[in-house]
Amino acid sequence: MTTIYHNPKCGTSRTVLARIREAGVEPRVIEYLVTPPSRAEMQALLKNLGMAPRDILRRKGTPYEELNLDNPALTDAQLLDALGAHPILMERPVVVTAKGARVCRPAERLDEIFPA
């Protein structure tokens, strides 16, 4: 099962979703701004990505700076709290397949985990 954490307002996210569908796959689409991952889901997703919470934070178009999330003293737990409260902070799109998970920015990163 292929899953995409998708933001329909994001051009890269739309491109990645279209590429998956063009390959004949209908993925599970999670509009994470409408249905954000729970803390446990986010922790599992980050583990699958091989990333820490700080690694998935998006700066552009988010409250990143006003929340002072570049503060190195912030713990992973505090960053997870911020992601839970502000799902727009999650970099997108994130795609999960049987081959692994990737933040598909740029869209070509999909090739690393998506069957040809």
Side-chain angles (χ1 to χ4, degrees), residues 32-33 36-39 42 57 63 67 69 77-90:
Y32 67 93
L33 295 177
S38 69
R39 186 183 194 91
M42 180 59 77
L57 292 176
L67 294 172
L69 295 179
Q78 290 169 310
L79 296 173
L80 284 168
D81 288 343
L83 282 160
H86 306 278
I88 192 74
L89 287 165
M90 185 173 133

mmCIF file of all heavy atoms in Angstrom, residues 32-33 36-39 42 57 63 67 69 77-90:
data_model
loop_
_atom_site.group_PDB
_atom_site.id
_atom_site.type_symbol
_atom_site.label_atom_id
_atom_site.label_comp_id
_atom_site.label_asym_id
_atom_site.label_seq_id
_atom_site.Cartn_x
_atom_site.Cartn_y
_atom_site.Cartn_z
ATOM 1 N N TYR A 32 -2.873 15.828 5.460
ATOM 2 C CA TYR A 32 -2.394 15.957 6.835
ATOM 3 C C TYR A 32 -2.787 17.274 7.502
ATOM 4 O O TYR A 32 -2.745 17.367 8.732
ATOM 5 C CB TYR A 32 -0.883 15.751 6.908
ATOM 6 C CG TYR A 32 -0.092 16.831 6.226
ATOM 7 C CD1 TYR A 32 0.372 17.925 6.939
ATOM 8 C CD2 TYR A 32 0.156 16.778 4.863
ATOM 9 C CE1 TYR A 32 1.068 18.937 6.300
ATOM 10 C CE2 TYR A 32 0.851 17.775 4.227
ATOM 11 C CZ TYR A 32 1.311 18.849 4.952
ATOM 12 O OH TYR A 32 1.992 19.860 4.317
ATOM 13 N N LEU A 33 -3.197 18.278 6.739
ATOM 14 C CA LEU A 33 -3.675 19.514 7.370
ATOM 15 C C LEU A 33 -5.094 19.329 7.898
ATOM 16 O O LEU A 33 -5.501 20.005 8.838
ATOM 17 C CB LEU A 33 -3.626 20.684 6.385
ATOM 18 C CG LEU A 33 -2.228 21.083 5.921
ATOM 19 C CD1 LEU A 33 -2.310 22.200 4.899
ATOM 20 C CD2 LEU A 33 -1.352 21.477 7.089
ATOM 21 N N PRO A 36 -4.266 15.459 10.747
ATOM 22 C CA PRO A 36 -2.839 15.358 11.078
ATOM 23 C C PRO A 36 -2.516 14.012 11.737
ATOM 24 O O PRO A 36 -3.368 13.432 12.419
ATOM 25 C CB PRO A 36 -2.603 16.495 12.063
ATOM 26 C CG PRO A 36 -3.886 17.200 12.266
ATOM 27 C CD PRO A 36 -4.952 16.475 11.520
ATOM 28 N N PRO A 37 -1.307 13.520 11.525
ATOM 29 C CA PRO A 37 -0.918 12.293 12.208
ATOM 30 C C PRO A 37 -0.874 12.515 13.719
ATOM 31 O O PRO A 37 -0.508 13.602 14.185
ATOM 32 C CB PRO A 37 0.471 11.988 11.653
ATOM 33 C CG PRO A 37 0.926 13.205 10.938
ATOM 34 C CD PRO A 37 -0.255 14.061 10.675
ATOM 35 N N SER A 38 -1.259 11.484 14.453
ATOM 36 C CA SER A 38 -1.145 11.547 15.913
ATOM 37 C C SER A 38 0.340 11.578 16.277
ATOM 38 O O SER A 38 1.213 11.339 15.421
ATOM 39 C CB SER A 38 -1.798 10.316 16.540
ATOM 40 O OG SER A 38 -1.028 9.157 16.248
ATOM 41 N N ARG A 39 0.614 11.838 17.523
ATOM 42 C CA ARG A 39 2.014 11.854 17.981
ATOM 43 C C ARG A 39 2.673 10.503 17.698
ATOM 44 O O ARG A 39 3.785 10.441 17.186
ATOM 45 C CB ARG A 39 2.064 12.206 19.465
ATOM 46 C CG ARG A 39 3.470 12.393 19.993
ATOM 47 C CD ARG A 39 3.433 12.659 21.496
ATOM 48 N NE ARG A 39 4.693 13.147 21.964
ATOM 49 C CZ ARG A 39 5.051 14.418 22.058
ATOM 50 N NH1 ARG A 39 4.204 15.357 21.709
ATOM 51 N NH2 ARG A 39 6.231 14.766 22.503
ATOM 52 N N MET A 42 3.270 10.123 14.008
ATOM 53 C CA MET A 42 4.391 10.959 13.582
ATOM 54 C C MET A 42 5.714 10.329 13.996
ATOM 55 O O MET A 42 6.672 10.306 13.217
ATOM 56 C CB MET A 42 4.263 12.371 14.164
ATOM 57 C CG MET A 42 5.404 13.296 13.771
ATOM 58 S SD MET A 42 5.619 13.538 11.989
ATOM 59 C CE MET A 42 4.292 14.663 11.649
ATOM 60 N N LEU A 57 10.766 19.585 9.768
ATOM 61 C CA LEU A 57 10.143 20.903 9.918
ATOM 62 C C LEU A 57 10.285 21.735 8.653
ATOM 63 O O LEU A 57 11.372 21.867 8.092
ATOM 64 C CB LEU A 57 10.768 21.661 11.086
ATOM 65 C CG LEU A 57 10.491 21.099 12.469
ATOM 66 C CD1 LEU A 57 11.265 21.896 13.522
ATOM 67 C CD2 LEU A 57 9.003 21.099 12.791
ATOM 68 N N PRO A 63 4.588 28.842 10.850
ATOM 69 C CA PRO A 63 4.957 29.646 12.032
ATOM 70 C C PRO A 63 6.321 29.255 12.618
ATOM 71 O O PRO A 63 6.597 29.526 13.784
ATOM 72 C CB PRO A 63 3.819 29.354 13.012
ATOM 73 C CG PRO A 63 3.335 27.993 12.654
ATOM 74 C CD PRO A 63 3.523 27.883 11.150
ATOM 75 N N LEU A 67 7.589 30.647 16.285
ATOM 76 C CA LEU A 67 7.640 29.676 17.380
ATOM 77 C C LEU A 67 9.073 29.419 17.851
ATOM 78 O O LEU A 67 9.297 28.617 18.757
ATOM 79 C CB LEU A 67 6.996 28.357 16.944
ATOM 80 C CG LEU A 67 5.499 28.407 16.653
ATOM 81 C CD1 LEU A 67 5.023 27.091 16.053
ATOM 82 C CD2 LEU A 67 4.701 28.747 17.914
ATOM 83 N N LEU A 69 11.501 27.796 16.448
ATOM 84 C CA LEU A 69 11.829 26.378 16.346
ATOM 85 C C LEU A 69 13.268 26.112 15.924
ATOM 86 O O LEU A 69 13.719 24.964 15.958
ATOM 87 C CB LEU A 69 10.847 25.687 15.390
ATOM 88 C CG LEU A 69 9.403 25.678 15.886
ATOM 89 C CD1 LEU A 69 8.498 25.003 14.870
ATOM 90 C CD2 LEU A 69 9.273 25.007 17.242
ATOM 91 N N ALA A 77 10.647 16.115 21.941
ATOM 92 C CA ALA A 77 9.279 16.140 22.465
ATOM 93 C C ALA A 77 8.631 17.503 22.213
ATOM 94 O O ALA A 77 7.459 17.577 21.825
ATOM 95 C CB ALA A 77 9.270 15.805 23.956
ATOM 96 N N GLN A 78 9.381 18.570 22.421
ATOM 97 C CA GLN A 78 8.839 19.909 22.172
ATOM 98 C C GLN A 78 8.565 20.132 20.684
ATOM 99 O O GLN A 78 7.569 20.742 20.318
ATOM 100 C CB GLN A 78 9.810 20.975 22.704
ATOM 101 C CG GLN A 78 9.865 21.014 24.216
ATOM 102 C CD GLN A 78 11.004 21.875 24.729
ATOM 103 O OE1 GLN A 78 12.154 21.728 24.302
ATOM 104 N NE2 GLN A 78 10.681 22.792 25.629
ATOM 105 N N LEU A 79 9.430 19.608 19.837
ATOM 106 C CA LEU A 79 9.216 19.740 18.397
ATOM 107 C C LEU A 79 8.016 18.913 17.943
ATOM 108 O O LEU A 79 7.240 19.350 17.093
ATOM 109 C CB LEU A 79 10.482 19.344 17.635
ATOM 110 C CG LEU A 79 11.693 20.252 17.894
ATOM 111 C CD1 LEU A 79 12.943 19.682 17.229
ATOM 112 C CD2 LEU A 79 11.436 21.677 17.453
ATOM 113 N N LEU A 80 7.835 17.730 18.528
ATOM 114 C CA LEU A 80 6.644 16.926 18.236
ATOM 115 C C LEU A 80 5.380 17.654 18.675
ATOM 116 O O LEU A 80 4.356 17.606 17.987
ATOM 117 C CB LEU A 80 6.735 15.556 18.901
ATOM 118 C CG LEU A 80 7.670 14.556 18.225
ATOM 119 C CD1 LEU A 80 7.902 13.348 19.127
ATOM 120 C CD2 LEU A 80 7.131 14.121 16.872
ATOM 121 N N ASP A 81 5.451 18.340 19.822
ATOM 122 C CA ASP A 81 4.312 19.142 20.278
ATOM 123 C C ASP A 81 3.973 20.210 19.241
ATOM 124 O O ASP A 81 2.803 20.440 18.928
ATOM 125 C CB ASP A 81 4.617 19.822 21.623
ATOM 126 C CG ASP A 81 4.649 18.844 22.795
ATOM 127 O OD1 ASP A 81 4.138 17.715 22.662
ATOM 128 O OD2 ASP A 81 5.205 19.232 23.853
ATOM 129 N N ALA A 82 4.998 20.878 18.718
ATOM 130 C CA ALA A 82 4.782 21.929 17.718
ATOM 131 C C ALA A 82 4.169 21.344 16.449
ATOM 132 O O ALA A 82 3.238 21.921 15.878
ATOM 133 C CB ALA A 82 6.098 22.640 17.411
ATOM 134 N N LEU A 83 4.671 20.198 16.008
ATOM 135 C CA LEU A 83 4.118 19.539 14.818
ATOM 136 C C LEU A 83 2.665 19.153 15.038
ATOM 137 O O LEU A 83 1.831 19.277 14.136
ATOM 138 C CB LEU A 83 4.936 18.296 14.456
ATOM 139 C CG LEU A 83 6.253 18.558 13.732
ATOM 140 C CD1 LEU A 83 7.186 17.365 13.857
ATOM 141 C CD2 LEU A 83 6.003 18.897 12.281
ATOM 142 N N GLY A 84 2.347 18.698 16.241
ATOM 143 C CA GLY A 84 0.970 18.321 16.551
ATOM 144 C C GLY A 84 0.036 19.521 16.568
ATOM 145 O O GLY A 84 -1.101 19.449 16.090
ATOM 146 N N ALA A 85 0.531 20.628 17.080
ATOM 147 C CA ALA A 85 -0.292 21.835 17.180
ATOM 148 C C ALA A 85 -0.385 22.576 15.845
ATOM 149 O O ALA A 85 -1.362 23.283 15.592
ATOM 150 C CB ALA A 85 0.283 22.769 18.255
ATOM 151 N N HIS A 86 0.636 22.423 15.009
ATOM 152 C CA HIS A 86 0.709 23.155 13.735
ATOM 153 C C HIS A 86 1.140 22.187 12.626
ATOM 154 O O HIS A 86 2.308 22.196 12.209
ATOM 155 C CB HIS A 86 1.724 24.308 13.834
ATOM 156 C CG HIS A 86 1.488 25.233 14.969
ATOM 157 N ND1 HIS A 86 0.566 26.255 14.917
ATOM 158 C CD2 HIS A 86 2.054 25.283 16.213
ATOM 159 C CE1 HIS A 86 0.582 26.906 16.074
ATOM 160 N NE2 HIS A 86 1.457 26.331 16.871
ATOM 161 N N PRO A 87 0.237 21.364 12.120
ATOM 162 C CA PRO A 87 0.638 20.369 11.111
ATOM 163 C C PRO A 87 1.227 20.986 9.845
ATOM 164 O O PRO A 87 1.953 20.307 9.114
ATOM 165 C CB PRO A 87 -0.646 19.597 10.823
ATOM 166 C CG PRO A 87 -1.755 20.354 11.450
ATOM 167 C CD PRO A 87 -1.166 21.251 12.483
ATOM 168 N N ILE A 88 1.001 22.273 9.604
ATOM 169 C CA ILE A 88 1.591 22.947 8.442
ATOM 170 C C ILE A 88 3.121 22.923 8.520
ATOM 171 O O ILE A 88 3.807 23.103 7.511
ATOM 172 C CB ILE A 88 1.066 24.408 8.315
ATOM 173 C CG1 ILE A 88 1.444 25.028 6.965
ATOM 174 C CG2 ILE A 88 1.582 25.287 9.445
ATOM 175 C CD1 ILE A 88 0.668 24.533 5.809
ATOM 176 N N LEU A 89 3.667 22.661 9.703
ATOM 177 C CA LEU A 89 5.116 22.604 9.886
ATOM 178 C C LEU A 89 5.743 21.369 9.237
ATOM 179 O O LEU A 89 6.948 21.325 9.027
ATOM 180 C CB LEU A 89 5.471 22.614 11.375
ATOM 181 C CG LEU A 89 5.295 23.942 12.095
ATOM 182 C CD1 LEU A 89 5.321 23.749 13.599
ATOM 183 C CD2 LEU A 89 6.363 24.933 11.652
ATOM 184 N N MET A 90 4.929 20.366 8.927
ATOM 185 C CA MET A 90 5.459 19.131 8.354
ATOM 186 C C MET A 90 5.818 19.335 6.880
ATOM 187 O O MET A 90 4.997 19.792 6.095
ATOM 188 C CB MET A 90 4.418 18.013 8.480
ATOM 189 C CG MET A 90 4.901 16.667 8.026
ATOM 190 S SD MET A 90 3.651 15.419 8.407
ATOM 191 C CE MET A 90 3.598 14.555 6.852
#
